[in-house]
Amino acid sequence: MRIDAAIDAFADELLRQRGLSENTVRGYRSDLRSLADHLDGLGLHEVPPLPIDALRDWLYESSEAGLASTTLARRSASVRQFSAWLDLEGSEAARLKTPKRGGRLPRVVSHEGIGQLLTTLEGLADEGRPSDVRNLAVFELLYASAVRVSELTGLDIDDVDLNRLTIRVTGKGDRDRVVPFGRPAFDALAGWLAARPELATEKSGPALFLGARGGRLGTRQVRELVAGLLQEVPGSGPAGPHTLRHTAATHLLDGGADLRAVQEMLGHASLGTTQIYTHVSFERLASSYKSAHPRA
């Protein structure tokens, strides 16, 4: 069943058969429409399935957007109710929990872990297959720029300035921002731009990253790529492109970057949203202190 049709049918039952108020049903519908938009970006247009990783990323993105904890809790409950209504036996959605502010911190990959993954990708890219050259550039740019996966897949060739080492991205609310990247990402991007014609077709258009058939690379493919790589790295929590965003932000603050500069780089409307990474950095500092200081 198409997810839009399923949402309409679910809302109708809540209103007419269960007797819930119009305001309550409006809240359910709003939550599920937001989820549908997120899944649509992953190429998922029907239910089932409702993949748990996609659901978790949706909630984390909602949290990052600054939504109140009560709204996050309602969104989580809406999905569980929707899944139960769909009668998805054993559905992963039943395991969905609300991300708690001040509770579990975002997953962060160590410098060594990132280095190992990039070494693996560089080895594959050296073999010359266009898809492997692209994968290296995708991973490098996600980590270097801390952009969202939807921002990365939305990039066109003209959005990349190799002279200034910047990309122009369109974030939430159609807000544009310019984000810097480093020399390793430059090298990976230059390699991909040289290999891109091998995958390009008439339907490629200006898209920076291309899929196997020449169309614009989708968020689902990027998610699968990054999740597959991160499975090899120790750590708990969601394993996807958002993990690289969390990791990049934390490593920037670990290195002494200004909080407001990181806020601008991430495209956060509120400084408070960015401050979660200061807690991550403090925990890493405290851990290092306890293991290294003789009087800890």
Side-chain angles (χ1 to χ4, degrees):
M1 181 186 299
R2 297 282 299 184
I3 190 168
D4 288 340
I7 291 170
D8 288 342
F10 174 60
D12 185 68
E13 178 170 316
L14 292 179
L15 186 63
R16 301 182 185 281
Q17 298 184 31
R18 301 190 190 180
L20 299 185
S21 71
E22 289 188 4
N23 283 341
T24 299
V25 174
R26 189 178 298 115
Y28 275 106
R29 189 189 291 274
S30 174
D31 294 337
L32 296 174
R33 290 292 185 195
S34 171
L35 173 62
D37 289 342
H38 179 80
L39 295 177
D40 184 66
L42 304 179
L44 300 175
H45 312 296
E46 297 188 356
V47 286
L50 291 174
I52 188 65
D53 284 344
L55 298 178
R56 284 172 175 162
D57 274 353
W58 169 63
L59 277 184
Y60 274 99
E61 287 184 7
S62 299
S63 175
E64 187 176 316
L67 296 186
S69 57
T70 52
T71 303
L72 295 175
R74 191 194 67 201
R75 286 195 164 188
S76 180
S78 295
V79 174
R80 291 196 298 270
Q81 289 285 340
F82 184 52
S83 174
W85 176 80
L86 289 167
D87 195 24
L88 301 181
E89 185 176 350
S91 171
E92 293 180 324
R95 296 190 278 118
L96 187 64
K97 296 182 179 179
T98 305
K100 297 179 180 178
R101 297 186 184 277
R104 189 177 189 179
L105 296 171
R107 179 182 180 183
V108 174
V109 182
S110 67
H111 291 273
E112 294 76 16
I114 291 291
Q116 290 169 7
L117 293 175
L118 286 170
T119 298
T120 297
L121 289 170
E122 287 166 357
L124 292 171
D126 286 343
E127 297 179 11
R129 286 188 296 272
S131 59
D132 289 330
V133 177
R134 177 204 64 203
N135 290 346
L136 172 61
V138 164
F139 195 97
E140 276 278 17
L141 193 56
L142 279 172
Y143 174 60
S145 63
V147 294
R148 302 176 177 92
V149 62
S150 58
E151 295 170 344
L152 178 116
T153 56
L155 288 172
D156 291 336
I157 294 175
D158 289 345
D159 292 326
V160 181
D161 189 332
L162 292 179
N163 293 318
R164 296 185 177 182
L165 301 186
T166 61
I167 53 174
R168 183 180 65 250
V169 301
T170 301
K172 295 185 175 181
D174 291 330
R175 292 190 296 268
D176 289 342
R177 67 185 190 280
V178 175
V179 181
F181 56 83
R183 205 70 195 176
F186 167 88
D187 293 337
L189 280 169
W192 161 241
L193 288 173
R196 183 182 180 277
E198 297 184 50
L199 288 181
T201 66
E202 292 181 356
K203 64 180 180 181
S204 298
L208 174 61
F209 293 114
L210 305 178
R213 297 182 180 179
R216 184 180 294 273
L217 187 68
T219 57
R220 185 176 186 178
Q221 292 110 303
V222 177
R223 194 177 303 277
E224 290 175 350
L225 166 68
V226 176
L229 289 166
L230 292 178
Q231 284 180 354
E232 307 300 320
V233 179
S236 59
H242 237 59
T243 301
L244 293 183
R245 182 168 160 86
H246 296 320
T247 298
T250 303
H251 288 178
L252 280 166
L253 290 169
D254 285 347
D258 177 74
L259 184 61
R260 288 199 176 275
V262 175
Q263 176 194 0
E264 291 183 14
M265 185 170 176
L266 295 174
H268 285 163
S270 166
L271 185 63
T273 307
T274 314
Q275 285 177 328
I276 187 173
Y277 300 110
T278 64
H279 301 310
V280 178
S281 292
F282 175 78
E283 287 214 344
R284 289 159 63 87
L285 173 63
S287 176
S288 297
Y289 177 84
K290 288 178 181 178
S291 63
H293 198 289
R295 302 285 286 184

